Amino acid sequence: MFKKTPLLLTALALLLGAQLMRVFGPSLSWYLRDTVRVGTMTLAPIALGPFLLGLLAPLPARWLGPRGAWALAGAGLIAARLVEQLSTRPDVDLVASLLGLVFFLWLWPLLLGRDRHAFVAGVILGLGADVAVKALFGSLDLSWMGGTMGAVGTLVLLLATGVLLVALGRETWTPTYPAAALPLFFVGPLILLHWMVLHNQGWVSTLTQGASLTGWSPALATLFILAGDLAALWWLSRPPALPGPRLWVTLGPGALLLLVSLTVDQPGTVFIVAGFVGLVVTGPYLAQLVRPAPTGGEPPGRPGRAMLALGLGNLTLVLVMLLYYLSLEIALPVRQPEIRILLGVLLFLGGLASLRAAPAPLPAALRAPRFAAGLLLVPLALLARDLLAGSPEPPPATGFPVRVMTYNIHSGFSTEGRHNPATIAAVIEAADVDVIGFQEISRGVIIDGGTDLLAWFSRRLDMPYFTFFGTTDPVWGNAILSRYPLSAVETTRLPRYDTRIGRGLVAARVSFGTDDLLFMSTHLHHRHENLEGVHIGQLESILTLWAGRPRTALVGDMNAHPGWRQMELVLANGFLDSWREAGEGPGFTSNAADPRQRIDWVFHTVDLIASEASVPVSQASDHFPVVVTLERLR
């Protein structure tokens, strides 16, 4: 038997579980809440459903035996993932992803009991493989890819998983678990930190931005993540410097992960150091939790207790994730930064719970840095392509006119509640625009499908110049995407008052030939008892930053109608309404399913003229975009 088989199966199972999670979360948020109109509080029990059922993992293991439970969970996971891939219906996606997660959660403790050494290395490889597979498709998950490419990629993964399941299922084996079950609880929170931040290519690409314009390329961000995974495996492969547990050895990884959680929203060098440290210490920290090398005389653990602890950790994973995103919907005593710190505190407690366990080296068969180096081939190829391509050459331009667009893309979800950025890209391509101001664009958010939408659109639309400003957390907010070079990027957070969702503005100078344009993209708040007052305060911040500069376009989802006082404030301070100047009809943009409001705006300064304005009709988002051709006033 190939000795790395349990390792590979653990990695593939985690990869499939991550894909299912990135379908299940959005199905709750964008399908049930936004399309079906299920209340937020009703969604919480549904979100907990698969993880509560996951606590029943000891029952099939007891009733069917390890081999029977193995076959049931493995076959169920493969079947559910296949149905979810082939489906184009959001309701089917929801049910298939829910059931698939249940089967994954039943298989997960069996993989731990099968080979704890392989489990440790397999988790790290699975996290890395997930990032590498997404990198192949510009960060778009296989789950969201229709057509032949998505089906073939998924079938390859499922076939490999099935072969490994059958190969291992033929053997007779008895699960073995650590005597100390409590540390297993913290495996779930650890995986959440990686899904949300450390293995999120969009987060890495955004936070490495620092003082530069665009941050690292997606390929370089992926390379950074996988290099950290290799370093974690290398560390595990080394013999311990000192025999037996030592306080600095056992507390160190948990303390470092707490420090990482305090700094993962700090851009530039701070994040680069913290992120790499978090990736590397995951190996020894995970080894502590599962105690892959029992000390002499350690009694065998009880399977039921170990499975329960692992299941409760998975339940905590989804509870913390719900808390993180519900804090944007309802008044909670904590906000997202505090919840990330809470996650770090949990991981530090995991280090305390495993004080008696010291990280031990992987056995020779699982010393995987050389084996795992294959994961680097994908990002290395992408990085080589980027480096060989050199700096992008802007298309020829002689100045105005320039076509601009504002588009609230609803995190890439259609009015039916399905993630399909390709349909949004098709709308943009048909409009043949030069500069786009995006609102509600996400860069790897779990409940938004996990796609780094800015990197994906840049690649798909062949618009290599972009900048992004995360307004609520580092990976959700406003962006500018352009055919032409950007410079002099400015960002500002708008007054928040007592609103839950942060709003902001990103501005950049677009240079095209002999002319340039100051382009500003924003998104005002959507709901408040005193919406007019909130909007006026936010717009005053925007107007102050603008400071009367010429050749400016201000675009965005203003959540305000023509004639409202806040829109008149913009007009009174030197801007013109591009739609009023060049559009025909009411120009309704929201809601795309039943458009009755004009709340998406393009304004331009008096030294420009709007020669054309249109509202492309599409169900790709819950908003229609607005497209305007701007010319210089002669």
Side-chain angles (χ1 to χ4, degrees):
M1 175 59 63
F2 182 36
K3 294 182 179 180
K4 293 189 176 73
T5 299
L7 182 154
L8 288 171
L9 183 57
T10 301
L12 283 171
L14 183 58
L15 188 155
L16 296 176
Q19 292 176 346
L20 289 164
M21 190 69 185
R22 290 191 294 265
V23 173
F24 180 64
S27 296
L28 298 174
S29 178
W30 301 107
Y31 171 62
L32 284 185
R33 184 193 64 183
D34 278 22
T35 302
V36 183
R37 301 297 181 185
V38 174
T40 300
M41 297 309 296
T42 305
L43 292 176
I46 301 174
L48 297 177
F51 295 88
L52 290 171
L53 292 173
L55 296 176
L56 302 179
L59 297 182
R62 182 182 305 169
W63 294 339
L64 304 176
R67 293 178 65 183
W70 181 273
L72 173 65
L77 173 62
I78 291 173
R81 179 65 184 85
L82 181 61
V83 169
E84 181 272 313
Q85 181 66 39
L86 298 178
S87 165
T88 58
R89 292 180 47 176
D91 53 347
V92 175
D93 286 342
L94 171 64
V95 175
S97 60
L98 187 154
L99 293 176
L101 281 173
V102 173
F103 289 120
F104 164 74
L105 295 170
W106 287 1
L107 181 63
W108 197 232
L110 296 173
L111 288 165
L112 172 64
R114 183 67 184 250
D115 189 330
R116 282 184 271 166
H117 293 98
F119 187 84
V120 173
V123 168
I124 298 171
L125 281 179
L127 291 167
D130 186 34
V131 171
V133 168
K134 290 181 66 183
L136 275 173
F137 306 105
S139 85
L140 185 64
D141 224 334
L142 281 172
S143 295
W144 305 116
M145 293 187 63
T148 303
M149 187 174 294
V152 170
T154 302
L155 286 174
V156 169
L157 292 178
L158 295 182
L159 181 61
T161 304
V163 168
L164 295 176
L165 278 165
V166 171
L168 287 169
R170 289 174 177 170
E171 299 177 359
T172 301
W173 53 284
T174 301
T176 57
Y177 294 94
L182 177 60
L184 298 178
F185 169 86
F186 299 94
V187 174
L190 177 67
I191 290 175
L192 178 60
L193 178 66
H194 283 271
W195 280 351
M196 285 177 57
V197 178
L198 298 179
H199 276 80
N200 181 344
Q201 172 241 291
W203 194 297
V204 173
S205 185
T206 299
L207 268 293
T208 53
Q209 180 170 326
S212 67
L213 185 63
T214 60
W216 288 353
S217 69
L220 187 55
T222 304
L223 183 65
F224 171 83
I225 294 169
L226 296 186
D229 291 340
L230 287 176
L233 290 168
W234 175 84
W235 188 347
L236 281 174
S237 73
R238 309 301 298 169
L242 296 171
R246 291 292 186 273
L247 188 63
W248 68 271
V249 172
T250 54
L251 280 185
L256 286 172
L257 287 171
L258 173 58
L259 182 62
V260 166
S261 72
L262 295 171
T263 54
V264 291
D265 59 351
Q266 301 301 310
T269 304
V270 173
F271 173 79
I272 292 171
V273 173
F276 195 76
V277 167
L279 291 165
V280 174
V281 302
T282 291
Y285 181 81
L286 187 61
Q288 284 179 227
L289 298 184
V290 306
R291 301 186 70 177
T295 56
E298 180 188 80
R302 295 171 59 183
R305 291 177 58 186
M307 287 184 169
L308 180 62
L310 200 62
L312 288 172
N314 294 327
L315 182 62
T316 301
L317 179 158
V318 74
L319 282 170
V320 174
M321 190 176 76
L322 277 175
L323 191 67
Y324 189 76
Y325 294 115
L326 282 177
S327 66
L328 304 177
E329 296 285 338
I330 58 178
L332 297 175
V334 290
R335 294 182 183 268
Q336 288 186 329
E338 289 85 0
I339 295 169
R340 289 196 298 267
I341 295 171
L342 171 63
L343 190 56
V345 171
L346 274 175
L347 296 178
F348 179 71
L349 293 177
L352 291 177
S354 57
L355 265 178
R356 295 182 57 194
L362 296 174
L366 296 177
R367 291 181 185 176
R370 182 175 56 186
F371 170 73
L375 285 177
L376 284 174
L377 294 178
V378 172
L380 276 175
L382 294 174
L383 183 60
R385 181 197 64 187
D386 292 348
L387 292 176
L388 290 173
S391 300
E393 289 291 333
T398 57
F400 286 99
V402 62
R403 285 175 64 78
V404 303
M405 170 186 277
T406 182
Y407 205 168
N408 181 327
I409 61 170
H410 200 48
S411 295
F413 285 82
S414 69
T415 55
E416 294 181 348
R418 184 165 176 80
H419 190 58
N420 194 354
T423 58
I424 294 174
V427 172
I428 297 170
E429 288 167 335
D432 191 27
V433 295
D434 300 305
V435 190
I436 309 164
F438 283 122
Q439 303 87 44
E440 292 191 18
I441 186 167
S442 65
R443 306 198 66 183
V445 178
I446 297 175
I447 64 165
D448 290 348
T451 308
D452 181 354
L453 286 169
L454 187 56
W456 189 88
F457 282 124
S458 176
R459 177 180 174 183
R460 163 67 185 266
L461 299 171
D462 194 23
M463 300 177 77
Y465 305 100
F466 59 81
T467 188
F468 171 82
F469 182 44
T471 59
T472 296
D473 69 6
V475 287
W476 188 92
N478 305 322
I480 299 172
L481 184 63
S482 173
R483 297 187 193 279
Y484 301 109
L486 303 177
S487 62
V489 172
E490 300 173 87
T491 61
T492 186
R493 296 192 182 277
L494 304 184
R496 196 161 184 161
Y497 301 103
D498 57 349
T499 61
R500 307 300 300 175
I501 299 177
R503 303 292 187 183
L505 173 137
V506 59
R509 189 157 294 281
V510 187
S511 300
F512 40 94
T514 57
D515 278 311
D516 60 18
L517 173 74
L518 177 60
F519 190 81
M520 309 171 74
S521 174
T522 192
H523 189 183
L524 304 187
H525 202 68
H526 66 301
R527 190 185 305 120
H528 195 272
E529 292 178 356
N530 180 20
L531 190 61
E532 179 183 288
V534 170
H535 281 177
I536 288 175
Q538 292 177 336
L539 287 167
E540 286 175 345
S541 294
I542 293 171
L543 293 170
T544 298
L545 183 141
W546 168 56
R549 285 175 282 181
R551 298 187 308 281
T552 300
L554 169 62
V555 310
D557 176 0
M558 304 296 178
N559 281 306
H561 299 264
W564 284 16
R565 184 182 167 205
Q566 49 267 54
M567 295 296 92
E568 295 301 318
L569 174 68
V570 178
L571 299 174
N573 277 271
F575 281 100
L576 301 176
D577 177 2
S578 303
W579 184 261
R580 183 183 299 174
E581 191 169 281
E584 295 182 2
F588 291 154
T589 60
S590 180
N591 180 297
D594 183 20
R596 299 185 182 185
Q597 307 176 90
R598 178 159 84 93
I599 60 175
D600 298 88
W601 293 70
V602 174
F603 295 101
H604 63 272
T605 47
V606 295
D607 52 359
L608 301 175
I609 184 171
S611 60
E612 181 186 357
S614 62
V615 174
V617 175
S618 170
Q619 306 299 306
S621 167
D622 68 337
H623 285 240
F624 298 153
V626 180
V627 181
V628 174
T629 300
L630 294 176
E631 300 186 26
R632 194 163 186 167
L633 189 63
R634 303 302 178 188

